């Protein structure tokens, strides 16, 4: 009986594998069966062109995947397969405008399943549903008039950051320091968390979490995805302790209802009078802390890179910032009026984000079949927009590799061409927050130091955000008092 049982078991296994492979190939072929699809290729089942998509970023040229196909197919839209999904890539200002203006009409935000696993909601809803709720909560705190009162706090955090991490040092690694600055700021403004040792407990797990978000979703010990899930669980546990203490402090009058986003979330109820539970708030704060520091730290790092490479740009930024510094009395913090005077500095920051966009692009999902540029986009297909398709396109930015802050003078770039924060209803709600933290960083940086790059041709890798491969080591030259 035993040999017969083993034979049957083997036959069952072979049959199941055969059926699975058939379904994979059938689904893959059916993706190509629609009439008039965009030009392009889907590659191998499941794998698609994902490796080439990511490897161009690892080599420091994420735009190559896009521009190679635009040239090959002579089209501003092409089909591919990314992250196991059939996808259409919409390029140029027209593609950006179409996606951004049809949000929740023809398309909706989409994230890979790995995101739902690293950010599991305590509610039985998807990441996209939770994101919609989050976007309703944030404007109260993220609009300019609300953020004005936090500029002094930002300046205080920046001064402390430069005193502990930069001053009295000959050399520093910029990228880890920039991450420390933006993360400390997010902890302070979102959670009123000011204790450096407490912030440090969060810091390392957050790096693991960020690496796991866009990784191969294999949940085995030792993989980035597994480490990301473990880090997410650890941070969520820490956040729950903070949330419970805040609830207690609010009840006893020891905390203010308006002191930060955490208090606001605890006290805000929906139209039915139902407030968010503690697990739900922990999930949302977790997402905010990731979004609130990752992209801005990249922008701050590349600002240092370009200021070190371009002395004439540095000199103009220094001149503008020192005029502001000299107008302050000893100990006086930056305010909204000072930020409004940093026009050239912000033009420089924008040009940095054009050349090295912190957000490379984003995914959407087609809600129904529709036509774009004469091509059919099937329901359920994923759509990808790329910042580089406009940022590095000479049609929109002549001599795109040239660093020129003057591009942002006057009315600035044409609509839908400069998209470091996305666009439409899903434009990053933290755009103004990012502007303030970047300008406060620039002010505190240039009034203290000039700096030189220690690795002149340091490679830039994109995984998924652009970062200098060695962390951007620089030599500091403090200004004489």
């Amino acid at each position: 009986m035993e040999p017969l049982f083993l034979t049957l078991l083997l036959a069952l296994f072979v049959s199941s594998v055969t059926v699975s492979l058939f379904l994979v190939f059938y689904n893959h072929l059916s993706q190509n069966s629609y009439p008039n699809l965009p030009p392009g290729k889907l590659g191998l089942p499941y794998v698609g062109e994902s490796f080439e998509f990511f490897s161009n970023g690892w080599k420091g040229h994420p735009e190559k995947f896009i521009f190679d196909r635009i040239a090959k197919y002579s089209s501003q839209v092409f089909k591919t397969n990314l992250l196991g999904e059939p996808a259409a890539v919409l390029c140029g200002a027209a593609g950006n405008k179409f996606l951004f203006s049809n949000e929740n009409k023809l398309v909706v935000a989409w994230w890979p399943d790995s995101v739902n696993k690293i950010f599991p909601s305590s509610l039985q809803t998807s990441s996209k549903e939770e994101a919609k709720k989050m976007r309703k909560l944030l404007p109260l705190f993220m609009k300019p008039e609300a953020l004005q009162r936090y500029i002094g706090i930002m300046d205080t955090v920046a001064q402390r950051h430069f005193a502990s991490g930069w001053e009295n040092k000959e050399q520093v690694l910029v990228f880890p320091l920039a991450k420390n600055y933006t993360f400390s700021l997010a902890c302070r403004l979102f959670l009123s968390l000011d204790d450096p040792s407490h912030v440090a407990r969060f810091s390392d797990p957050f790096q693991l979490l960020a690496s796991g978000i866009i990784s191969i979703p294999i949940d085995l010990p030792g993989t980035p995805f597994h480490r990301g899930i473990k880090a997410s669980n650890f941070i969520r546990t820490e956040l729950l302790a903070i949330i419970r203490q805040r609830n207690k402090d609010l009840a006893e009058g020891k905390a203010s209802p308006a002191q930060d986003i955490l208090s606001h979330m605890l006290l805000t109820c929906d139209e039915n009078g139902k407030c968010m539970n503690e697990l739900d708030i922990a999930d949302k704060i977790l997402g905010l802390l990731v979004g609130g520091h990752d992209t801005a730290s990249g922008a701050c790092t590349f600002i240092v890179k370009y200021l070190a490479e371009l002395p004439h740009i540095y000199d103009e930024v220094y001149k503008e910032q020192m005029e502001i510094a000299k107008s302050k009395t000893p100990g006086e913090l930056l305010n909204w009026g000072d930020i409004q005077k940093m026009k050239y500095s912000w033009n420089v920051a924008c040009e940095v984000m054009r050349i090295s966009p912190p957000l490379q692009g984003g995914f959407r999902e087609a809600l129904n079949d529709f036509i774009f540029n004469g091509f059919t986009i099937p329901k359920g297909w994923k759509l990808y927009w790329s910042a580089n398709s406009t940022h590095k396109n000479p049609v929109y930015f002549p001599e795109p590799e040239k660093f020129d802050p003057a591009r942002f003078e006057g009315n600035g770039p044409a609509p839908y061409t400069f998209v470091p924060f996305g666009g439409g209803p899903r434009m990053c709600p933290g755009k103004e927050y990012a502007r303030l933290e970047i300008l406060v960083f620039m002010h505190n940086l240039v009034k203290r130091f000039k700096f030189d790059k220690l690795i002149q041709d340091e490679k830039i890798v994109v995984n998924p955000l652009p970062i200098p491969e060695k962390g951007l080591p620089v030599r500091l030259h403090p200004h004489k008092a």
Side-chain angles (χ1 to χ4, degrees):
M1 288 294 291
E2 189 172 306
L4 178 61
F5 174 75
L6 290 174
T7 302
L8 289 172
L9 195 63
L10 180 61
L12 183 63
F13 173 75
V14 171
S15 298
S16 65
V17 170
T18 302
V19 170
S20 297
L21 287 173
F22 171 78
L23 290 174
V24 167
F25 278 93
Y26 176 79
N27 288 335
H28 184 68
L29 290 171
S30 68
Q31 293 165 4
N32 245 330
S33 64
Y34 277 80
N36 203 33
L37 291 173
K41 63 179 184 177
L42 297 176
L44 293 171
Y46 190 74
V47 176
E49 296 188 297
S50 299
F51 180 77
E52 192 172 351
F53 178 77
F54 286 115
S55 67
N56 278 297
W58 301 333
K59 295 171 185 174
H61 302 286
E63 71 279 3
K64 188 175 186 300
F65 182 88
I66 304 294
F67 287 121
D68 281 358
R69 284 156 181 75
I70 291 174
K72 181 177 181 179
Y73 304 122
S74 301
S75 174
Q76 290 292 304
V77 55
F78 60 86
K79 69 173 180 279
T80 183
N81 184 304
L82 300 174
L83 301 171
E85 300 281 349
V89 179
L90 276 57
C91 305
N96 292 342
K97 181 179 180 180
F98 181 87
L99 288 178
F100 297 158
S101 58
N102 280 292
E103 185 78 35
N104 300 320
K105 300 172 189 173
L106 295 177
V107 301
V108 67
W110 178 81
W111 291 273
D113 286 340
S114 58
V115 174
N116 281 324
K117 290 176 181 175
I118 288 183
F119 294 104
S121 173
S122 57
L123 305 176
Q124 294 303 308
T125 53
S126 66
S127 290
K128 69 179 75 169
E129 291 301 317
E130 292 307 297
K132 284 181 187 177
K133 296 177 186 177
M134 197 69 223
R135 296 180 77 82
K136 291 179 182 178
L137 279 170
L138 284 180
L140 290 171
F141 275 86
M142 293 300 186
K143 56 187 179 182
E145 51 268 40
L147 287 167
Q148 289 182 28
R149 65 179 185 268
Y150 295 125
I151 294 170
I153 296 173
M154 289 181 168
D155 195 17
T156 300
V157 171
Q159 289 182 32
R160 185 190 306 152
H161 165 77
F162 278 95
S164 63
W166 298 66
E167 291 176 2
N168 301 312
K169 292 179 173 60
E170 292 183 3
Q171 301 176 6
V172 294
L173 269 180
V174 175
F175 183 57
L177 284 172
K179 293 191 86 164
N180 176 270
Y181 163 70
T182 56
F183 188 63
S184 297
L185 199 53
C187 286
R188 173 63 183 84
L189 293 181
F190 300 164
L191 298 169
S192 298
L193 198 61
D194 215 14
D195 179 4
S197 62
H198 204 162
V199 172
R201 275 178 60 80
F202 279 126
S203 186
D204 288 343
F206 258 96
Q207 312 319 320
L208 295 173
L209 184 148
S211 298
I213 291 172
I214 305 294
S215 64
I216 299 171
I218 298 174
D219 189 9
L220 292 174
T223 63
F225 185 65
H226 180 79
R227 289 195 293 265
I229 291 175
K230 281 187 67 177
S232 174
N233 292 335
F234 171 82
I235 296 165
R236 192 176 283 104
T237 300
E238 291 285 308
L239 286 173
L240 281 171
I242 293 170
I243 290 166
R244 285 163 185 156
Q245 182 60 48
R246 177 63 62 83
N247 248 333
K248 183 180 176 183
D249 290 345
L250 284 167
E252 296 174 357
K254 296 177 181 177
S256 162
Q259 76 182 54
D260 55 27
I261 288 178
L262 175 56
S263 283
H264 181 66
M265 285 184 179
L266 284 166
L267 298 172
T268 300
C269 302
D270 62 20
E271 58 272 16
N272 300 317
K274 183 180 178 182
C275 296
M276 285 188 285
N277 64 49
E278 292 174 345
L279 278 170
D280 193 22
I281 292 172
D283 292 337
K284 289 179 171 54
I285 291 289
L286 178 60
L288 268 181
L289 288 171
V290 172
H293 89 284
D294 250 7
T295 52
S297 61
C300 289
T301 300
F302 280 90
I303 285 168
V304 176
K305 174 187 184 299
Y306 286 106
L307 290 182
E309 292 174 352
L310 304 166
H312 65 290
I313 301 292
Y314 174 93
D315 290 343
E316 289 300 313
V317 171
Y318 177 74
K319 178 182 175 184
E320 179 176 81
Q321 295 296 345
M322 287 312 294
E323 285 179 6
I324 294 167
K326 289 173 182 175
S327 72
K328 314 295 287 183
T329 57
E332 184 184 355
L333 298 171
L334 291 171
N335 56 44
W336 181 249
D338 299 323
I339 296 292
Q340 298 309 98
K341 295 173 185 174
M342 300 181 187
K343 290 183 170 56
Y344 182 78
S345 297
W346 183 239
N347 288 348
V348 168
C350 287
E351 181 68 342
V352 167
M353 291 187 286
R354 180 191 70 80
I355 294 176
S356 299
L359 180 64
Q360 294 291 301
F363 284 97
R364 302 289 189 270
E365 182 175 25
L367 291 171
N368 297 291
D369 293 359
F370 62 82
I371 303 295
F372 176 76
N373 269 20
F375 296 111
T376 300
I377 309 296
K379 177 182 178 180
W381 270 41
K382 306 309 177 277
L383 301 113
Y384 183 75
W385 64 269
S386 163
N388 284 313
S389 81
T390 53
H391 286 198
K392 295 188 177 178
N393 191 328
V395 171
Y396 308 111
F397 296 97
E399 298 182 84
E401 299 305 319
K402 179 183 177 183
F403 192 95
D404 183 10
R407 302 179 198 273
F408 296 90
E409 292 176 356
N411 293 327
Y416 301 103
T417 61
F418 180 62
V419 289
F421 300 102
R426 289 200 52 75
M427 178 179 283
C428 174
K431 175 184 175 182
E432 186 63 19
Y433 170 80
R435 185 176 83 95
L436 297 183
E437 68 178 328
I438 288 169
L439 288 173
V440 169
F441 176 86
M442 291 176 75
H443 176 81
N444 279 278
L445 171 72
V446 300
K447 79 174 186 178
R448 286 174 171 81
F449 308 107
K450 285 199 77 167
F451 31 85
D452 302 318
K453 287 168 56 181
L454 291 173
I455 305 173
Q456 296 307 313
D457 57 350
E458 185 174 2
K459 181 182 175 183
I460 304 301
V461 295
V462 180
N463 187 30
L465 307 176
I467 57 172
E469 189 175 39
K470 304 296 182 183
L472 191 62
V474 298
R475 179 180 291 107
L476 299 176
H477 304 287
H479 295 303
K480 294 177 181 177

